[in-house]
Amino acid sequence: MATSSADTKSASVWRNWDFRLFFAGQFVTNLGDSLYTVAVLWLVYDLSGSTVLSGVASSLLLLPWLLQLFAGPLVDRLPLKPVLVSAQIVQGVVVLVLPLAAITGRLSVGVLFMVIPVLTIAAPLMSPMQSAVLPRIVAEDRLSSANSALATVTLGLDMLFDALGGIVIAIFGVTVLFVFDSITFAIAALLFGKITALSADTVKQEREAEATDPLLATYISDLRVGFDALRGTVFIELVVLTAIVNFVTGMTLAILPSFGSLLDGAAVYGLLLGALGTGRLIGSVIAPSFEHVGYGRITFVSYLTTACVWLAAVFVPSTALTIALFGLAWIPPGVNSVLTATLNQTVFPNELLGRVTSLKGTASGGTLPLGSLVGGVVAAVIGTTPTMAVAALGFGVAGLYVLARPRLRQLPAVAGADLDDFTVPTTDVRNAP
């Protein structure tokens, strides 16, 4: 556990110095992620004019969701601080390849496709890492506020820099953008390195010292513990639903450059991404207000609402109204994502969070890159606008499924959740190694 006192951890998250450092580090590193994601996706479509290639690029950028399966056991065993810092350094160094290619006139779709996979290697650690870090630096009754704050800053950056990304490229060029991107990762590494609670992560040090089995055997054993914690629980169905939603989200991200181009070019593409970020930002801010509302009710209402508003956004005749409605459609998913993160941290013990989060993230988020590949191909066959409508219907299908399943529809509020409510096998989880 964190070395800070119980009083400090229980106080407002903004009075917690370690949380503020982690918050600032996430702010800066997500700025970097937002910049290179927008730049890379637009450049691929701009250079090729192909939704298929933009789908491939989007799939590669989303690959970390699939790779979380391999990251979880590492997060649960390795000291958190060195892993956090190293992930930022790797990304900061690799992204410098892109401005060098631009300066020498060698920037192309091929170069982008070579760099993207390397950039994704460090990224899978961040989601299970956040789940594992927060319970060590803030009290349990502050987890929802901490998750909301982190989601707010992440989505706030998405909103700001996604909206301006196309304009930044047009005015300053990709060279300046990618150099600045590299600097953000260096700053994030410095901030993460100053978190004092993680320096005394004795739980991980003891586990590492006790681990005498071969690496592969230990890794498989760790994964098995994570599987055992989830097996036979309601989380399995929730993961399947999230997988469906992430599949259609992946489709959307792949074709959004094309959709923006159909409306009015790079500026609209940036505004659509900004609207997406704004919607999720608003949702993350208001999420703590729904802690005492049934989780099942929140889930089916959010999915159905998103589907209806998204369909309206696709077919309205006004570009401005399309952008506004598309942003509104992402408010419910913003609420749901914060509540889900808090639920994981409330139900599962700290020593399992890395494994459980990575398994859930891989099973559900692994459909993001697949959706991008499919979305690019489908848009090339039936057109971009119809594909956007199909993506909206995916949320509707998920919402109707929850509505039709009493077990899911009646899930309790996050604030009152415990192991028994979600049928998690209490003995197996609490006795995990």
Side-chain angles (χ1 to χ4, degrees):
M1 295 293 294
T3 57
S4 57
S5 68
D7 290 341
T8 300
K9 289 180 65 177
S10 298
S12 166
V13 292
W14 301 113
R15 297 177 62 186
N16 184 324
W17 176 245
D18 281 336
F19 176 77
R20 288 186 302 203
L21 285 171
F22 189 61
F23 178 89
Q26 288 283 57
F27 182 100
V28 177
T29 192
N30 279 293
L31 162 59
D33 289 341
S34 181
L35 286 176
Y36 79 68
T37 298
V38 173
V40 165
L41 282 179
W42 177 257
L43 280 173
V44 169
Y45 182 75
D46 189 50
L47 292 171
S48 68
S50 168
T51 59
V52 174
L53 288 179
S54 65
V56 173
S58 179
S59 179
L60 290 173
L61 286 168
L62 294 170
L63 194 61
W65 288 93
L66 186 60
L67 298 178
Q68 284 186 54
L69 176 65
F70 306 101
L74 294 177
V75 169
D76 279 333
R77 285 195 174 273
L78 297 177
L80 291 173
K81 184 187 289 188
V83 178
L84 267 174
V85 173
S86 299
Q88 305 311 306
I89 294 174
V90 169
Q91 291 180 95
V93 171
V94 172
V95 80
L96 285 175
V97 171
L98 298 176
L100 290 175
I103 291 172
T104 58
R106 298 179 182 273
L107 186 62
S108 65
V109 172
V111 171
L112 291 169
F113 280 164
M114 286 189 292
V115 171
I116 292 173
V118 182
L119 286 174
T120 63
I121 291 175
L125 298 168
M126 295 311 295
S127 180
M129 188 77 67
Q130 178 173 317
S131 292
V133 167
L134 284 186
R136 289 172 166 80
I137 61 177
V138 300
E140 183 175 317
D141 62 351
R142 300 295 180 184
L143 285 174
S144 183
S145 296
N147 280 309
S148 177
L150 287 170
T152 298
V153 70
T154 300
L155 300 171
L157 284 174
D158 288 344
M159 172 188 68
L160 177 60
F161 290 95
D162 287 350
L164 297 178
I167 298 173
V168 170
I169 294 173
I171 296 177
F172 300 104
V174 292
T175 302
V176 173
L177 186 146
F178 286 130
V179 169
F180 180 73
D181 190 16
S182 181
I183 294 172
T184 64
F185 289 118
I187 295 173
L190 291 173
L191 290 169
F192 289 144
K194 292 182 177 294
I195 300 177
T196 57
L198 298 184
S199 299
D201 197 355
T202 57
V203 173
K204 292 189 184 304
Q205 292 169 356
E206 290 171 2
R207 286 173 56 82
E208 187 179 18
E210 294 169 359
T212 56
D213 295 334
L215 179 60
L216 180 59
T218 301
Y219 179 81
I220 294 174
S221 175
D222 280 354
L223 282 181
R224 186 179 297 115
V225 172
F227 277 118
D228 289 342
L230 292 171
R231 188 172 53 210
T233 72
V234 72
F235 287 102
I236 300 300
E237 286 187 84
L238 293 174
V239 165
V240 172
L241 285 171
T242 308
I244 296 172
V245 168
N246 283 334
F247 180 84
V248 296
T249 300
M251 292 178 62
T252 304
L253 294 175
I255 63 175
L256 208 57
S258 175
F259 189 62
S261 182
L262 287 176
L263 294 176
D264 200 18
V268 173
Y269 168 57
L271 289 173
L272 285 168
L273 283 172
L276 188 159
T278 302
R280 294 191 65 192
L281 169 64
I282 295 171
S284 69
V285 170
I286 66 177
S289 302
F290 295 92
E291 279 187 329
H292 299 281
V293 180
Y295 181 77
R297 196 186 317 165
I298 289 288
T299 300
F300 80 76
V301 169
S302 67
Y303 286 160
L304 290 176
T305 301
T306 293
C308 294
V309 179
W310 189 327
L311 279 173
V314 172
F315 293 111
V316 293
S318 165
T319 297
L321 193 54
T322 291
I323 295 170
L325 288 173
F326 189 65
L328 288 174
W330 284 95
I331 293 177
V335 172
N336 190 268
S337 64
V338 170
L339 294 181
T340 300
T342 302
L343 178 66
N344 290 340
Q345 294 160 346
T346 301
V347 171
F348 296 103
N350 291 352
E351 63 269 19
L352 279 179
L353 281 173
R355 282 167 283 185
V356 169
T357 303
S358 65
L359 286 170
K360 290 180 65 182
T362 299
S364 61
T367 56
L368 276 167
L370 178 61
S372 285
L373 289 174
V374 173
V377 174
V378 170
V381 175
I382 69 173
T384 297
T385 301
T387 305
M388 286 285 288
V390 170
L393 291 175
F395 278 88
V397 170
L400 291 174
Y401 179 80
V402 176
L403 186 61
R405 292 280 291 165
R407 183 189 185 195
L408 297 178
R409 190 176 67 247
Q410 297 170 7
L411 287 174
V414 169
D418 59 31
L419 295 172
D420 293 333
D421 289 329
F422 290 81
T423 65
V424 176
T426 304
T427 303
D428 289 346
V429 174
R430 288 179 176 169
N431 293 334

